[in-house]
Every structure is written in structure tokens, then in C-alpha cells.
Amino acid sequence: MTSVSVGKIHLSFAQILQMNLGFLGLQFSFGLQQSNMGPIYSYLGADEGSMPLLWLAGPMTGLVIQPLIGSMSDRTRTRLGRRTPYFLVGAILCSLCLFAMPYSRTLLMAASLLWVLDAANNVTMEPYRAYVSDRLDAAQRPLGFLTQSAFTGLAQTLSYLAPSLLVWWGLNKDTLDSNGIPEITRISFLIGAVLSITTILWSVWRVPELPLTPEEDAAITADPLSLRSTVTGLVDAIRDMPPTMRQLAVAMLFQWFGMFCYWQYVVLALARGVFHTSDPSSVGFRDAGLLNGQLGAFYNLVAFVSAFAMVPFARRFGARPIHAVAMVLSGAAMLTIASTGSIPLLVVAMVGIGIGWGSLMGNPYLMLANAIPPERTGVYMGIFNMFIVIPMMVEILFVWLAYRPLLGGDPRHVLLLGGGMMLAAAVATWFVRAPQPQPERAVA
């Protein structure tokens, strides 16, 4: 497919917000997983040391689905556009799985639903990122991608806080369904099921994809969607990967290894460090889950605010130094969480986690978008996800093998490991050589 340079309509701030609203529903789903899947697995009888294996769904489905979907979306031609059919189908499947998850009766059922849920999220994710890159010119991409990051922070603030809000509104935190999962968890997942589909529908209705140009249409006609073209496009893209993307892969290895350590074991670490329990059936364990929701809501609120605050700095200094500083702050925060039982100090640490998370969901994609050819945006966004899921798979295998012999069977030690990885990510980010964005002709 040949490169095509076209003018792009300059979108208002309100339009950029609306086109990214679907990210709120998508990330509400991810937030529910991050804050609740560990406790759900514990309620259903999972062993601490085997916990990482139960999180394989996200990395495995992402490794296979996102690159293929990205390559397919570059060659898709429908009345709805190239990207829209994928994130509509993904949103519907995501809603169905969120509805069913809290009714799980066994570990197998919960783990199986997570596989389908993560597959659906992965079908949605990279076409959505490519859609934003397609619609925005180089000058508006910092605002576009960091708005996605801001919606990630807002959505996960709400998803982490949802169980606590339900308690504050009068529900009993100790009321359990027959499978041992708290009622407030079930209701939170039902809210997520509604948001997943409605926000996506709003985005595609209010800010539809741009129609294909004659040149893009001719390129798809010459190289139409097929299994062969999808696989060939994927292989060719890996072979021709820009140097910036290869350098980003190293930083992504460390930062996503660290974040997966955090998500898997933070509730268990809080239960040990603050409530001095490791018993999933205890009140203290449920209190740790609620505390994690409140702390997680705060760090995601910080991510929401910091993502917008980073926009002028990313425009002036570039995404690379901003992201490196954010990784230092998040690494220091993880080391602090692992070392204290003080709730006020935990709140302070959440500022670092939030700044890191706000940067992580925006700045690497900004560096990537400026380094890849526009006509291959979909496939490269999909390949970029491999740099997320492969570190997660490495972390799963390592922690599973090392949890008791090297990490002492203590979840707080996993967070120490995660903090060290985030600091290593800061160093690797500093060595990324990201190109300056080329100006594009904007259409008023």
C-alpha cells in the first residue's frame, strides 16, 4: 500500500472529547478487571502463587488479536469506515462478558469469561487508537492521545470507586451472593456492561470516521482484505519496523512488567500491610479491596488531570522526557506502597502511580504515531500492543515461578519488583529517539 498524504479537518476540543468518549467505556471495563479480578479469583478459591496464571487471558488474546485486527482494519472498507466495525463488535461482546462475570460459580468460569472479555477489548482497542490517529493531524495528536489517557483516568477512577460509592449510598459491603462475590461487585460490573456499549455508540455517531480518499480506496482495491494480505501485511510491517518503535519496545518491556505486578498483587499487599490478613474470607480482606478501590480511584483521577496537564509540555519538550519523569515517579510510588501500612502515605504514593499511568496511556502512543507511516497505522498500533502483552507474559511466568522461592511468598515483594521495573523503564525511555512530527495541511 502506498503512502497517502491528505489534509485533515481541524476538530474542536468538544469533538475530540466526543470521539474519545468510547474510551471511557472501554477503560471502565479494564478498571473493573484491574481492581476486581484478583479478589474475585480469591473469593472463588485461587491460590496466591498461581494468581498470575489466571491473568494470562489479556496477554495471550492481545498477542494474537490486536496485530491481526490492526492489519485487517487497514484494509477494511465498509459504510461505517475501516475501524468502526471492529470496535462496535468488540464493545457488544465486552458488555455481555461484563454482565456475566460476577455470576461466575467457579474459577474456570471466571477465567474463561476473562478470556472472552479480553479478546473483545483487544478487538476494540487498537482500531480505536488508529481511528484517533486517522482523524487528527500532527498538531492535534498530543491533545487526541492525551485525551484518551485522560478518559482512561476518569473511567478507571469511576470503576475503582464504584463499589465504595455503592456502600456510601447504603448497600452493605458484607452482603455476598451465593458464589461468595460481594453484591457491590456484581452491580459495578452491570454498570460497566451498560457503559461499554453506550459510550462507543456515542463516539461513532457524533464523530464518524472520515471517508476514504480515492487514493486510499484504490490502495485497498489493489491489496484487498484477505487472510493472505492480513498475514503478509503483518510480517512486512514487523520487518520494516521503524527504529523508534524498536527502541520503545525496551521501555515497554519494563513498564508493563511493573504495572502487571502492581495490578495482580496490590490488594493482597494492602491486606497484608494495612489489615494484617491473607484470608480472603475475612472482613479485613474485603476492606483491603475497598481501600484499593478508593486509592485506585484517586490515582486514576490524578491520571485524568495530569494527562491534560502534560499536553503543553509534550508539545514543547516532546513526549520522551515527560514520560521518563513519569516512570520515575510511578516506580518510587510502588516502592513506597510495598514498604508502608500508613494510609496517608499510600495516598501520597498514588500521585506517582497516577502521573505514571496518565503518561503511559498517552505519551508512548504519541511517540509511535509520529514515527509510523499513516497508511499502516492500524497494523503498527496492533504490533505495538505486542510490546505490552509480551512483558505481561514474561511477568506471569517469572512471578509464578519466583513467588515463593525468590519473593518469599509475600505480595509486597512483588510490588518492590514492579517498582524497580518502572525505574528501569525511565532509563530505557530516555534512550528512545523519537522523530519530530511532520506538519500536515489542515482543512478548516
Side-chain angles (χ1 to χ4, degrees):
M1 297 176 69
T2 58
S3 176
V4 181
S5 179
V6 297
K8 295 178 180 178
I9 298 172
H10 189 88
L11 298 184
S12 68
F13 180 62
Q15 287 175 307
I16 291 176
L17 288 178
Q18 290 182 85
M19 75 183 296
N20 282 300
L21 185 64
F23 232 64
L24 186 142
L26 179 64
Q27 293 297 331
F28 194 96
S29 169
F30 276 117
L32 288 174
Q33 293 178 51
Q34 292 163 13
S35 61
N36 290 285
M37 286 312 301
I40 285 174
Y41 285 148
S42 295
Y43 297 140
L44 295 173
D47 172 69
E48 280 188 7
S50 300
M51 192 74 74
L53 297 178
L54 295 170
W55 288 72
L56 267 173
M60 288 297 292
T61 55
L63 182 65
V64 175
I65 290 175
Q66 287 202 25
L68 290 176
I69 292 294
S71 182
M72 289 170 64
S73 72
D74 284 337
R75 293 174 171 81
T76 295
R77 178 170 46 194
T78 73
R79 288 188 299 172
L80 295 175
R82 286 188 290 180
R83 321 295 184 183
T84 301
Y86 297 99
F87 46 77
L88 282 178
V89 170
I92 292 170
L93 289 174
C94 178
S95 293
L96 293 174
C97 291
L98 288 171
F99 181 85
M101 180 65 76
Y103 295 99
S104 298
R105 311 297 302 182
T106 64
L107 264 178
L108 178 61
M109 181 177 176
S112 299
L113 281 171
L114 186 61
W115 277 82
V116 181
L117 175 60
D118 273 321
N121 281 332
N122 281 309
V123 168
T124 304
M125 178 70 77
E126 295 317 308
Y128 207 117
R129 292 195 183 280
Y131 151 70
V132 172
S133 184
D134 292 342
R135 288 276 342 214
L136 300 178
D137 62 21
Q140 288 198 301
R141 280 180 187 156
L143 179 60
F145 282 111
L146 288 169
T147 297
Q148 278 194 352
S149 182
F151 271 119
T152 297
L154 177 60
Q156 296 196 8
T157 296
L158 297 174
S159 62
Y160 272 76
L161 200 56
S164 293
L165 288 174
L166 293 171
V167 172
W168 297 337
W169 291 338
L171 274 70
N172 187 344
K173 67 181 177 66
D174 294 319
T175 299
L176 308 180
D177 290 338
S178 59
N179 57 0
I181 295 174
E183 181 185 40
I184 55 176
T185 300
R186 171 171 54 83
I187 296 173
S188 299
F189 271 78
L190 299 184
I191 293 170
V194 174
L195 284 176
S196 179
I197 185 63
T198 55
T199 56
I200 290 281
L201 289 173
W202 181 270
S203 288
V204 299
W205 174 51
R206 297 297 296 171
V207 190
E209 289 190 65
L210 292 173
L212 293 173
T213 65
E215 294 85 356
E216 290 169 333
D217 190 72
I220 292 176
T221 300
D223 190 14
L225 178 63
S226 67
L227 178 60
R228 180 177 179 180
S229 67
T230 297
V231 174
T232 300
L234 179 58
V235 172
D236 290 346
I238 293 174
R239 181 195 62 208
D240 302 333
M241 193 181 301
T244 296
M245 194 170 173
R246 297 179 187 274
Q247 294 161 1
L248 277 169
V250 180
M252 298 283 279
L253 170 64
F254 293 120
Q255 67 196 28
W256 285 102
F257 189 112
M259 288 306 301
F260 228 43
C261 286
Y262 178 84
W263 289 328
Q264 287 174 358
Y265 283 95
V266 64
V267 174
L268 301 178
L270 291 174
R272 297 273 182 93
V274 179
F275 299 99
H276 311 293
T277 183
S278 59
D279 179 7
S281 65
S282 67
V283 173
F285 192 90
R286 291 194 292 274
D287 286 340
L290 284 175
L291 176 60
N292 178 59
Q294 294 156 16
L295 293 173
F298 178 63
Y299 91 64
N300 279 290
L301 180 61
V302 172
F304 172 70
V305 174
S306 65
F308 283 120
M310 289 178 200
V311 173
F313 294 101
R315 284 174 173 163
R316 181 172 180 180
F317 301 109
R320 178 178 63 90
I322 306 303
H323 188 59
V325 171
M327 292 300 96
V328 170
L329 294 176
S330 61
M334 287 188 196
L335 298 178
T336 300
I337 296 165
S339 306
T340 185
S342 166
I343 292 179
L345 195 53
L346 289 171
V347 172
V348 174
M350 289 302 113
V351 175
I353 297 291
I355 293 173
W357 183 231
S359 179
L360 196 150
M361 292 301 291
N363 283 315
Y365 294 94
L366 178 56
M367 288 185 272
L368 175 68
N370 292 331
I372 58 179
E375 75 278 3
R376 301 172 90 175
T377 297
V379 66
Y380 276 125
M381 287 291 182
I383 292 171
F384 198 58
N385 186 66
M386 295 170 67
F387 303 157
I388 299 174
V389 299
I390 290 175
M392 289 180 176
M393 294 171 68
V394 172
E395 185 271 351
I396 285 170
L397 181 60
F398 178 84
V399 174
W400 175 55
L401 293 174
Y403 184 68
R404 288 190 172 87
L406 296 180
L407 299 171
D410 191 329
R412 291 167 292 188
H413 295 165
V414 181
L415 293 193
L416 290 174
L417 173 64
M421 288 293 177
M422 300 306 279
L423 296 177
V427 175
T429 298
W430 195 257
F431 288 98
V432 173
R433 294 293 173 259
Q436 293 299 312
Q438 297 301 311
E440 298 179 58
R441 177 174 56 86
V443 179

